[in-house]
């Protein structure tokens, strides 16, 4: 089921977002695996012929650039990484274009940065561009603009980028082709007896606990970024499959509904999640956090309430009014995200106080008229 408030959801056809990580797309020598790329494009062409409208979110621009520049060892300084990304993005786009041309499929290159999606107007323009590309039968090839996006190179998060694209186009399915079979109940690299979790219907603290950190030198993401992406997709009503990218027919089988890797099940009835709320959930990085008590958490989850200052226990980080903040419970578990109405120093003065207490204080009276986070600008992940 598609998110509420999206008028064009019914007529867009089946949309599939496929994310390919660096470690999956490269060889052990950190060079592009062109044979694998050909296999992937063959599968994409097949699902496209079956009625899907695919979008590919790819990593590996830096690895591709290092290969073209004959640099054997990945450098650590930012200018060299960005230069490699600049060279590599062109080569990577060409590789995709040539691979898809064998099937008579036209590709396009879409480069995004967090800055592009932090602005809601730019977010909506990006959505319109994707819609038109898909209408034209194009397979968009999407990547983070590593040439200018310093944060992305340091903390690599194309899983979030792919989830953002999936929400933008109101995808029917997202598939992450990884270097691991899916989510395990323990780190399989350290625990040989770890078991694959085939189906996840809710993401609570226990699921977050089993997600590991980044584990490869080629890529810069890890299972934790996939879990965070899944958390938003599940709320938006978009199922996610995380699987071994080198599994035979992984894309074809996932698109056909076969058991592949780990399936994060989408809500049958998504919360009221408008495009604006999706933008809040994924489009901008959180600037800080509000820790709330159990009563406030229950009010947000069970009654769809706004977040009032009386239910907030503490303020983390520095943020301004209208910034995006995470909302955590007493254990530190992140369960919501929203646009905060006040700056962090104002919020710190208001927390724990009722509306009457705020009104009675001349310095804080202005904070009594609206909640810290209004329900219309709040996304709850549970």
């Amino acid at each position: 089921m598609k998110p509420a408030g999206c008028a064009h959801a019914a007529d867009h056809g089946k949309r599939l977002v496929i994310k390919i990580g660096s470690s999956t797309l490269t060889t052990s020598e950190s060079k592009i695996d062109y044979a694998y790329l050909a296999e992937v494009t063959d599968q994409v062409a097949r699902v496209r012929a079956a009625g899907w409208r695919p979008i590919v979110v790819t990593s590996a621009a830096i690895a591709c650039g290092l290969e073209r520049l004959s640099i054997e060892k990945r450098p650590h300084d930012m200018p060299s990484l960005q230069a490699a990304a600049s060279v590599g993005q062109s080569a990577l786009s060409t590789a995709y274009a040539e691979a898809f041309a064998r099937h008579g499929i036209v590709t396009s290159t879409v480069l995004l940065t967090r800055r592009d999606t932090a602005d809601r107007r730019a977010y909506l323009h990006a959505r319109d561009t994707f819609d038109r590309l898909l209408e034209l039968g194009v397979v968009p090839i999407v990547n983070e603009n590593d040439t200018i996006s310093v944060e992305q190179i340091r903390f690599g998060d194309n899983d979030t980028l792919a989830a953002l694209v999936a929400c933008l186009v109101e995808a029917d399915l997202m598939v992450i082709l990884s270097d691991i079979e899916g989510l395990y109940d323990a780190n399989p690299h350290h625990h040989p007896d770890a078991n694959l979790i085939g189906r996840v219907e809710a993401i609570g603290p226990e699921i977050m606990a089993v997600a590991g950190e980044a584990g490869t030198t080629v890529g810069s993401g890890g299972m934790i970024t996939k879990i965070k992406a899944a958390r938003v997709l599940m709320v938006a009503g978009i199922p996610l499959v995380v699987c071994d990218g080198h599994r035979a027919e992984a894309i074809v089988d996932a698109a056909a509904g076969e058991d592949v890797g780990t399936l994060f099940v989408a809500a049958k009835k998504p919360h009221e999640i408008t495009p604006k709320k999706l933008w809040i959930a994924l489009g901008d990085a959180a600037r800080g956090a509000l820790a709330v008590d159990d009563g406030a958490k229950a009010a947000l989850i069970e009654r769809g309430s706004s977040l009032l200052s009386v239910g907030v226990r503490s303020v983390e980080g520095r943020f301004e009014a209208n910034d995006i903040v995470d909302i955590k419970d007493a254990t530190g578990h992140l369960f919501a995200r929203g646009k905060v109405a006040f700056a962090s120093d104002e919020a710190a003065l208001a927390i724990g106080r009722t509306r009457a207490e705020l009104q009675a204080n001349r310095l804080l009276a202005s904070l009594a008229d609206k909640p810290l986070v209004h329900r219309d600008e709040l996304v709850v992940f549970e």
Side-chain angles (χ1 to χ4, degrees):
M1 181 178 291
K2 294 298 149 225
C6 301
H8 63 296
D11 58 1
H12 72 193
K14 295 192 298 181
R15 299 187 174 188
L16 171 63
V17 174
I18 304 157
K19 185 263 181 175
I20 309 174
S22 294
S23 57
T24 307
L25 189 56
T26 58
T27 67
S28 58
E29 292 80 26
S30 300
K31 296 181 179 180
I32 299 300
D33 188 339
Y34 293 99
Y36 175 72
L37 180 59
E39 179 186 335
V40 166
T41 54
D42 288 348
Q43 290 191 60
V44 174
R46 287 168 57 194
V47 296
R48 183 174 178 271
W52 291 88
R53 296 186 180 182
I55 297 172
V56 176
V57 178
T58 185
S59 301
I62 293 176
C64 198
L66 294 176
E67 180 181 357
R68 288 298 178 97
L69 293 168
S70 299
I71 298 176
E72 295 295 330
K73 187 176 181 181
R74 182 184 174 103
H76 297 289
D77 65 291
M78 197 58 59
S80 294
L81 290 171
Q82 291 177 315
S86 180
V87 172
Q89 187 57 58
S90 175
L92 188 60
S93 297
T94 299
Y96 272 103
E98 292 176 349
F100 276 109
R102 297 183 300 111
H103 300 279
I105 297 174
V106 176
T107 63
S108 70
T109 299
V110 180
L111 299 180
L112 296 173
T113 66
R114 194 177 293 278
R115 186 182 302 114
D116 298 325
T117 60
D119 178 77
R120 176 163 164 74
R121 183 176 300 175
Y123 178 99
L124 296 176
H125 280 307
R127 183 193 67 184
D128 293 341
T129 299
F130 278 115
D131 283 347
R132 187 61 180 138
L133 286 169
L134 295 176
E135 288 172 3
L136 292 169
V138 175
V139 174
I141 308 299
V142 186
N143 198 2
E144 181 88 10
N145 192 345
D146 287 341
T147 300
I148 62 174
S149 186
V150 174
E151 180 182 358
Q152 168 62 20
I153 291 176
R154 287 179 176 168
F155 305 110
D157 201 354
N158 267 6
D159 296 319
T160 296
L161 175 63
L164 174 67
V165 172
C167 291
L168 271 172
V169 304
E170 300 165 35
D172 297 272
L173 174 66
M174 177 170 144
V175 177
I176 294 179
L177 302 179
S178 183
D179 56 0
I180 192 170
E181 190 175 354
L183 177 66
Y184 285 81
D185 57 7
N187 188 330
H189 297 299
H190 301 148
H191 303 277
D193 58 344
N195 297 307
L196 178 70
I197 301 174
R199 185 180 179 92
V200 175
E201 298 188 0
I203 297 178
E206 68 285 348
I207 292 294
M208 297 299 294
V210 300
E213 299 299 328
T216 66
T217 57
V218 175
S220 42
M223 187 56 70
I224 190 67
T225 63
K226 295 169 178 56
I227 298 296
K228 291 178 178 178
R231 182 171 56 197
V232 176
L233 291 170
M234 293 167 76
V235 172
I238 301 172
L240 167 67
V241 171
V242 177
C243 63
D244 181 355
H246 288 278
R247 178 190 185 276
E249 303 293 286
I251 299 172
V252 174
D253 288 349
E258 301 290 339
D259 291 336
V260 180
T262 299
L263 170 64
F264 293 86
V265 182
K268 293 181 180 178
K269 282 192 173 182
H271 295 279
E272 182 185 356
I273 183 146
T274 63
K276 180 179 180 180
K277 288 193 175 186
L278 289 176
W279 171 73
I280 289 172
L282 274 172
D284 196 11
R287 299 294 192 267
L290 300 173
V292 305
D293 59 30
D294 292 341
K297 180 179 180 180
L300 296 182
I301 294 176
E302 298 170 11
R303 298 193 294 277
S305 303
S306 298
L307 178 60
L308 306 178
S309 58
V310 68
V312 180
R313 298 164 54 121
S314 63
V315 176
E316 300 176 12
R318 293 190 60 84
F319 49 81
E320 300 298 328
N322 298 317
D323 278 348
I324 305 301
V325 296
D326 290 334
I327 300 172
K328 304 178 180 180
D329 63 18
T331 68
H333 174 60
L334 189 158
F335 71 93
R337 177 172 289 166
K339 181 185 286 188
V340 69
F342 303 101
S344 52
D345 52 354
E346 296 175 295
L349 293 174
I351 60 174
R353 301 176 188 269
T354 65
R355 185 169 185 269
E357 289 173 330
L358 292 173
Q359 286 178 322
N361 188 312
R362 287 184 299 172
L363 296 177
L364 303 179
S366 63
L367 304 179
D369 295 331
K370 55 183 177 179
L372 288 181
V373 181
H374 193 276
R375 61 182 296 173
D376 292 340
E377 297 183 321
L378 177 72
V379 178
V380 177
F381 299 129
E382 298 184 0

